[in-house]
Amino acid sequence: MDKRVIPLLDVRQAPQALRARVPAHTVAPTGLLLDRLGRPLTDLRISVTDRFNFRCSYCMPKEVFDKDYPYLPHRDLLSFEEITRVARLFAAHGVRKLRLTGGEPLLRKNIENLVEQLAQLRTVDGQPLDLTLTTNGSLLARKAQALKAAGLQRVTVSLDGLDDAVFRRMNDVDFPVERVLEGLAAAREAGLGPIKVNMVVKRGTNEHEILPMARYFRGSGVVLRFIEYMDVGATNGWRMDEVLPSADVVRRIDQEFPLVPLEATAPGETAQRWAYADADGRPDPALGEIGVISSVTQAFCHDCSRARLSTEGQLYLCLFASGGHDLRPLLREGASDADIASAIGHIWQGRADRYSELRSERGPDSAAAPGARRVEMSYIGG
Ligand code: SAM
Ligand code: SF4
């Protein structure tokens, strides 16, 4: 068959199961898709593997994710072609930014081939999509050049401290911090910037690493971002008293290096930005900036424009959702692009999630009810 011909399927003659999944009323992509709270869909996070080589206690504690943990068999993962097809349909609905995540995304074999395919996609106004990846950095030294050559624009590296003993304890697989720093250097050399470094701050565990991290990255061109420890999933034993509010992080850094607030660069931006100040109290571009992501103490659901696609094709509308919408049967049972785009449209139009805001309204100490089934961060990648 000529490869350019996309096989079309008339839903009226489709198998029963597929008909049930494709709503009769069509939502054609227009480049602007709003949910029930008027939030546009602009950002898609794609988890490419459920495998991990770290066992960070706040995300994949060893006690739960041990050697007997049943990872998904390869046939259940979306193929690169399936991921690219879905991403193209999201772009038609207005998505401008793709972030690859996981699990540890660099553990997915030949990930650069997926990057190459995604780099060909265009936004509704014909621009390349903003294409980035979040990694723990362990394999970055080896992969940075190939990722850049394939079309990746930027990376975000997770790093919870510079002290080797603290870092080894947090990743819980005795991985040395030096190797992540080598990965960062390789990413910089490859031109995968501006690089962001994400540090999850856990009170009593790595809060003493805040200032060493600020000193190390100030003036380096890397944007350091501090993330409040979140109550995602149901395995990390989250407690409010282990959350260090971002306001404290800013105060601690400001005492040593005065900071000035910066405007958000885009609506829906998760981080609040602060610049290092010069002697006149103005932002000093040579010293750079930090960001704080205050998902616990200052919810930002009102302009949340992110959807998340799991490794095996479940679409999640919120980091705290208990269930996803399964797109894989549509992909594997012959649905047309129009049907899949329409299904995505219906799902987003029905969205009203605002978990973090509701938690704030219930009070800062409240998390999900004990035993509530919630998706793990390690499954949809943050
Ligand atoms: N393996 C990659 C990595 O480590 O960057 C990508 C997946 S990881 C789930 C994505 C991000 O979520 C990391 O920056 C990690 O630190 C963050 N994360 C995981 N659990 C978290 C939690 N409970 N609270 C805040 N951030 C969390
Ligand atoms: Fe978005 Fe859900 Fe987070 Fe609110 S809680 S910002 S809706 S992912």
Side-chain angles (χ1 to χ4, degrees):
M1 198 201 321
D2 183 332
K3 279 201 183 129
R4 287 163 304 172
V5 179
I6 300 166
L8 282 176
L9 181 103
D10 183 339
V11 177
R12 286 161 303 184
Q13 282 149 39
Q16 191 68 31
L18 179 55
R19 245 182 298 162
R21 288 183 192 109
V22 179
H25 155 68
T26 304
V27 181
T30 61
L32 177 66
L33 186 61
L34 300 177
D35 73 5
R36 275 162 55 197
L37 304 178
R39 298 171 295 188
L41 172 60
T42 60
D43 187 330
L44 179 65
R45 301 188 176 191
I46 304 171
S47 175
V48 293
T49 177
D50 62 338
R51 281 164 202 271
F52 248 92
N53 52 356
F54 286 7
R55 286 291 176 277
C56 308
S57 57
Y58 54 74
C59 186
M60 293 198 88
K62 229 178 204 164
E63 309 78 64
V64 180
F65 297 90
D66 58 12
K67 64 177 181 12
D68 298 323
Y69 186 76
Y71 290 111
L72 294 167
H74 193 263
R75 64 174 181 281
D76 285 357
L77 313 186
L78 294 192
S79 68
F80 290 169
E81 288 68 28
E82 287 170 333
I83 292 174
T84 305
R85 182 175 180 209
V86 174
R88 177 165 52 76
L89 299 173
F90 271 90
H93 274 303
V95 161
R96 319 188 69 84
K97 180 170 171 186
L98 300 176
R99 176 176 296 281
L100 300 181
T101 175
E104 171 44 43
L106 299 188
L107 288 175
R108 178 88 185 245
K109 220 170 145 203
N110 301 325
I111 179 79
E112 53 279 15
N113 295 352
L114 173 63
V115 169
E116 201 170 347
Q117 292 182 33
L118 295 174
Q120 310 304 317
L121 299 179
R122 292 293 176 265
T123 63
V124 274
D125 42 14
Q127 302 300 313
L129 278 82
D130 187 11
L131 185 52
T132 169
L133 175 145
T134 300
T135 171
N136 62 26
S138 58
L139 301 169
L140 199 49
R142 218 187 296 161
K143 289 270 190 179
Q145 288 290 351
L147 289 167
K148 178 69 186 179
L152 189 71
Q153 291 157 6
R154 297 181 288 114
V155 284
T156 298
V157 177
S158 306
L159 178 62
D160 297 331
L162 286 170
D163 180 273
D164 195 48
V166 173
F167 185 68
R168 284 179 194 249
R169 206 176 323 125
M170 286 192 82
N171 65 53
D172 213 10
V173 292
D174 214 23
F175 196 87
V177 74
E178 200 50 46
R179 299 257 301 276
V180 178
L181 298 178
E182 284 164 18
L184 272 170
R188 189 197 289 259
E189 205 168 303
L192 286 168
I195 297 171
K196 290 179 185 152
V197 165
N198 279 353
M199 171 178 176
V200 176
V201 183
K202 237 181 132 175
R203 196 197 284 275
T205 303
N206 65 339
E207 58 180 307
H208 54 287
E209 287 294 296
I210 295 171
L211 284 171
M213 289 279 282
R215 287 181 202 123
Y216 186 84
F217 288 111
R218 181 171 168 264
S220 71
V222 167
V223 178
L224 175 60
R225 303 191 313 170
F226 299 92
I227 305 181
E228 286 179 350
Y229 170 43
M230 284 185 281
D231 53 328
V232 278
T235 56
N236 65 9
W238 183 88
R239 295 201 325 255
M240 185 64 198
D241 60 8
E242 288 182 316
V243 176
L244 186 80
S246 295
D248 276 28
V249 174
V250 171
R251 197 172 317 118
R252 288 181 195 197
I253 297 174
D254 183 58
Q255 276 167 6
E256 182 166 331
F257 303 118
L259 295 169
V260 277
L262 290 172
E263 294 290 316
T265 41
E269 191 170 59
T270 47
Q272 290 162 300
R273 301 165 57 222
W274 296 81
Y276 289 110
D278 63 14
D280 300 322
R282 282 194 293 260
D284 184 341
L287 296 176
E289 62 181 84
I290 63 157
V292 289
I293 301 181
S294 322
S295 10
V296 179
T297 60
Q298 260 187 296
F300 37 76
C301 304
H302 55 279
D303 52 9
C304 178
S305 49
R306 291 172 288 282
R308 296 172 161 85
L309 184 67
S310 81
T311 314
E312 86 279 48
Q314 296 270 343
L315 180 60
Y316 283 85
L317 303 180
C318 176
L319 197 47
F320 298 90
S322 56
H325 302 259
D326 198 358
L327 297 182
R328 196 179 59 190
L330 292 178
L331 289 163
R332 298 204 173 161
E333 290 169 18
S336 69
D337 281 357
D339 289 339
I340 299 174
S342 187
I344 294 168
H346 274 279
I347 293 168
W348 188 263
Q349 284 179 342
R351 174 187 191 245
D353 302 74
R354 48 189 285 269
Y355 172 86
S356 293
E357 284 180 356
L358 294 175
R359 178 196 37 213
S360 304
E361 286 166 17
R362 286 196 309 268
D365 287 334
S366 72
R373 206 188 82 83
R374 289 233 309 264
V375 63
E376 295 295 331
M377 189 81 142
S378 49
Y379 177 71
I380 52 170

